[in-house]
Amino acid sequence: MSDYKTIKVDIGTESSFTKLPAQVDIGDWSYYLAKSKKGAYQLLSTVCPHAMGEVVDFGNVFMCPDHGWRFEKTEGICVNGPNSRMTAFPVAVESGRLIATVPDD
């Protein structure tokens, strides 16, 4: 169970995201909207789980330029380092709209 409060944020219509992953900004934070291998939407945090650097889109993978960790684009799993993954937040589809549950800060 997490110790932080969450909020639900409408990030747009499902049909408006024609190419995934897509960058989504909520307040001061950036995320990548991705679809998992099981078909569920999620937001992947652009904050690297290792050294808190910014994870960027690097073609076929996401990458943290600070130390070179690379993450695959559907689940955010590290593909070249330790057993790690990008922090993910759930996104539900409600009446054709994508509703993300993210930390309230």
Side-chain angles (χ1 to χ4, degrees):
M1 189 101 189
S2 64
D3 291 336
Y4 56 85
K5 291 182 181 182
T6 60
I7 57 171
K8 292 189 177 203
V9 178
D10 184 330
I11 58 174
T13 61
E14 184 177 19
S15 63
S16 67
F17 292 97
T18 57
K19 185 178 178 202
L20 296 176
Q23 187 162 345
V24 174
D25 295 321
I26 299 173
D28 293 335
W29 299 97
S30 291
Y31 304 88
Y32 293 111
L33 175 64
K35 202 169 200 178
S36 74
K37 293 174 185 173
K38 293 183 179 181
Y41 288 105
Q42 59 188 345
L43 288 181
L44 299 173
S45 174
T46 61
V47 177
C48 181
H50 171 244
M52 305 305 149
E54 181 182 2
V55 174
V56 297
D57 190 332
F58 197 67
N60 292 332
V61 294
F62 295 127
M63 184 183 75
C64 179
D66 291 348
H67 59 274
W69 282 12
R70 293 187 299 273
F71 304 90
E72 62 84 35
K73 289 187 162 184
T74 60
E75 308 284 341
I77 297 169
C78 186
V79 296
N80 71 323
N83 184 16
S84 186
R85 69 183 321 140
M86 296 166 72
T87 303
F89 301 96
V91 177
V93 180
E94 297 178 10
S95 301
R97 301 198 64 83
L98 297 177
I99 309 298
T101 302
V102 296
D104 182 16
D105 46 49

